[in-house]
Amino acid sequence: MEKYTPKKPWLAASLAGVVEILITFPLENLKTQTQLQQRTLSDCLQQTWKRRGPIGFYKGLTPWLVCAVPRNVTRFEVYEHVSELLLAEQRKSSPASSSLSSPMNFIAGLLAGMAEAVVVLTPMHAVQIKMIHDAQRPDPLFRGFFHACISIPRKEGVIKGLWCGVTSTTMKAATTNAIRFGTFQPLSEAVQKRTGKNRLEPHESMACGGLAGAMSVVFSHPIDTVKSNMQSLGASKRYRSNFDCVRQIAAEGGLVAGLFRGVGVRFTRVTLEIGLLFTLYDQFGRWADSFEV
């Protein structure tokens, strides 16, 4: 079945990204705390509530909110553009093709993830993780997002401060987006074939997106743990490389336990995030299309 593509992917992606992050960010906050501080989820939950109340779970939100639009626009625009090019190539050998094959979807998602990571995700995560890490100090250094954006490159340099962890971030984004896009489309087509409808209902889209997101967590979480530690405060002095970071994580908490720290809360968050993102992208896209003359 033919895949639906919004007439204005940038608008659908922007709206979907903002709404999604407002709903799921508290889980991202808790996940990052568990990865950085060698503490349990319940301990992070209790300490955050005790110190700052409900607003504490949104500490570090600003960079995500500011970057929600460019991040999702980059991801979906690159994916849609690459998909068009790959579909044109696919039709040379299979003229009847109306949608990308799973391997082609995997490649389109891979390239979209790489672009998203290099352009937006790395500096966004660097600021967000440092803000969350800093917030746990008795005397925080950063007064807010824009102060952090100025202070980090001033203290650590632009590349080391904002593009630290770019390798692990790109690996993670490429892997997760390849799995998510490569899984969501065939799942959607299977549901449409079963129901006989030419589009998914919102709950069906949530289920397909959630499953795609859950699968991406299983394969990418060790990379995410390394990325979070490589982007923490003082990481440029503490870790010589990604491999050195893995070695130190394994020495402190064991290889498997250390690399999969925070996987439960990330699994919950990403399942909800990707389910929402694909569903909202479709709904906002059709809503925007309805205004076309």
Side-chain angles (χ1 to χ4, degrees):
M1 294 185 180
E2 190 170 353
K3 181 179 78 72
Y4 165 69
T5 301
K7 295 177 181 178
K8 297 179 179 178
W10 63 269
L11 180 57
S14 299
L15 294 172
V18 170
V19 173
E20 175 271 313
I21 199 59
L22 287 173
I23 294 172
T24 65
F25 186 77
L27 292 170
E28 174 66 24
N29 180 295
L30 288 169
K31 182 270 298 183
T32 301
Q33 287 192 54
T34 60
Q35 289 177 322
L36 296 179
Q37 299 179 51
Q38 302 279 338
R39 288 158 52 192
T40 64
L41 174 60
S42 60
D43 186 39
C44 291
L45 186 64
Q46 291 171 14
Q47 290 299 319
T48 302
W49 184 272
K50 182 179 179 180
R51 289 181 181 180
R52 300 180 181 276
I55 198 69
F57 297 107
Y58 281 91
K59 188 67 176 178
L61 170 67
T62 307
W64 283 77
L65 204 54
V66 169
C67 295
V69 172
R71 176 191 178 189
N72 284 284
V73 167
T74 301
R75 178 196 298 174
F76 281 100
E77 283 284 2
V78 170
Y79 172 75
E80 298 292 4
H81 181 66
V82 172
S83 293
E84 288 181 9
L85 296 176
L86 292 177
L87 184 58
E89 286 297 314
Q90 185 176 297
R91 282 173 173 163
K92 291 180 181 179
S93 56
S94 303
S97 297
S98 59
S99 61
L100 283 179
S101 63
S102 292
M104 290 295 191
N105 255 309
F106 185 90
I107 294 171
L110 187 80
L111 294 175
M114 292 175 68
E116 177 192 359
V118 174
V119 176
V120 184
L121 211 55
T122 300
M124 181 196 83
H125 276 180
V127 174
Q128 174 249 336
I129 288 169
K130 285 176 170 65
M131 286 182 69
I132 290 177
H133 199 182
D134 180 64
Q136 310 311 311
R137 293 178 166 183
D139 186 21
L141 298 173
F142 305 135
R143 295 192 296 270
F145 170 63
F146 295 106
H147 181 244
C149 287
I150 295 171
S151 300
I152 292 168
R154 182 180 293 171
K155 184 177 180 180
E156 302 181 37
V158 174
I159 301 300
K160 286 188 175 181
L162 297 179
W163 266 269
C164 54
V166 64
T167 302
S168 52
T169 302
T170 303
M171 287 174 60
K172 175 204 167 188
T175 302
T176 56
N177 279 287
I179 294 171
R180 290 165 188 173
F181 283 109
T183 304
F184 179 77
Q185 189 58 33
L187 284 174
S188 300
E189 291 177 356
V191 171
Q192 287 176 284
K193 186 175 181 180
R194 183 182 180 86
T195 61
K197 298 178 181 178
N198 61 1
R199 62 175 290 186
L200 296 178
E201 295 296 329
H203 70 277
E204 295 169 338
S205 184
M206 276 289 295
C208 291
L211 183 56
M215 291 178 65
S216 72
V217 171
V218 174
F219 291 99
S220 70
H221 193 76
I223 304 173
D224 186 68
T225 299
V226 173
K227 175 197 72 65
S228 292
N229 281 273
M230 289 294 291
Q231 293 177 319
S232 62
L233 289 169
S236 59
K237 296 179 180 179
R238 189 163 62 253
Y239 305 121
R240 295 191 301 272
S241 65
N242 286 303
F243 292 109
D244 183 49
C245 181
V246 171
R247 183 187 63 77
Q248 291 193 41
I249 290 172
E252 292 171 3
L255 184 61
V256 176
L259 290 176
F260 278 89
R261 188 181 302 120
V263 68
V265 68
R266 181 168 178 250
F267 185 91
T268 303
R269 179 197 179 277
V270 171
T271 299
L272 178 60
E273 172 201 354
I274 303 305
L276 280 170
L277 202 56
F278 277 119
T279 303
L280 292 170
Y281 180 70
D282 180 86
Q283 295 299 309
F284 281 129
R286 294 181 190 277
W287 171 77
D289 289 352
S290 68
F291 290 96
E292 291 285 325
V293 177

Coordinates of all heavy atoms in Angstrom, one line a residue, residues 17 43 56 106 171 252 277 282 289:
G17 N 6.7 17.2 17.2 CA 7.8 17.2 18.1 C 7.6 18.0 19.4 O 8.0 17.5 20.5
D43 N 15.2 6.2 43.7 CA 15.9 7.2 44.5 C 16.0 8.6 43.7 O 15.8 9.6 44.3 CB 17.4 6.7 44.7 CG 18.2 7.6 45.5 OD1 17.6 8.2 46.5 OD2 19.4 7.8 45.2
G56 N 11.0 20.0 39.0 CA 12.4 19.4 38.9 C 12.5 18.3 37.7 O 13.5 18.1 37.2
F106 N 15.1 1.1 6.0 CA 16.2 1.1 6.9 C 17.3 2.1 6.5 O 17.7 2.9 7.4 CB 16.8 -0.3 7.0 CG 17.8 -0.5 8.0 CD1 17.5 -1.0 9.3 CD2 19.1 -0.3 7.7 CE1 18.4 -1.2 10.3 CE2 20.1 -0.5 8.7 CZ 19.8 -0.9 10.0
M171 N 26.0 7.4 16.1 CA 25.7 6.0 16.1 C 24.3 5.6 16.7 O 23.6 4.8 16.1 CB 26.8 5.2 16.9 CG 28.2 5.2 16.3 SD 29.4 4.5 17.4 CE 28.7 2.8 17.7
E252 N 32.9 0.3 37.1 CA 32.1 0.8 38.2 C 30.8 0.0 38.5 O 30.4 -0.2 39.6 CB 31.7 2.3 37.9 CG 32.8 3.3 37.9 CD 32.4 4.6 37.4 OE1 31.2 4.8 37.1 OE2 33.3 5.5 37.3
L277 N 4.9 10.2 18.3 CA 5.5 11.0 17.2 C 4.9 10.6 15.8 O 4.5 11.4 15.0 CB 7.0 10.8 17.2 CG 7.9 11.9 16.5 CD1 7.6 13.2 17.1 CD2 9.3 11.5 16.7
D282 N 1.2 12.0 11.5 CA 0.2 11.6 10.6 C -1.0 12.5 10.8 O -1.6 13.1 9.8 CB -0.2 10.2 10.8 CG -1.3 9.7 9.8 OD1 -1.0 9.3 8.7 OD2 -2.5 9.8 10.2
D289 N -3.0 19.4 5.6 CA -3.4 19.1 4.2 C -4.9 19.6 4.0 O -5.2 20.0 2.8 CB -3.3 17.7 3.9 CG -1.9 17.2 3.8 OD1 -1.0 18.0 3.8 OD2 -1.7 16.0 3.7

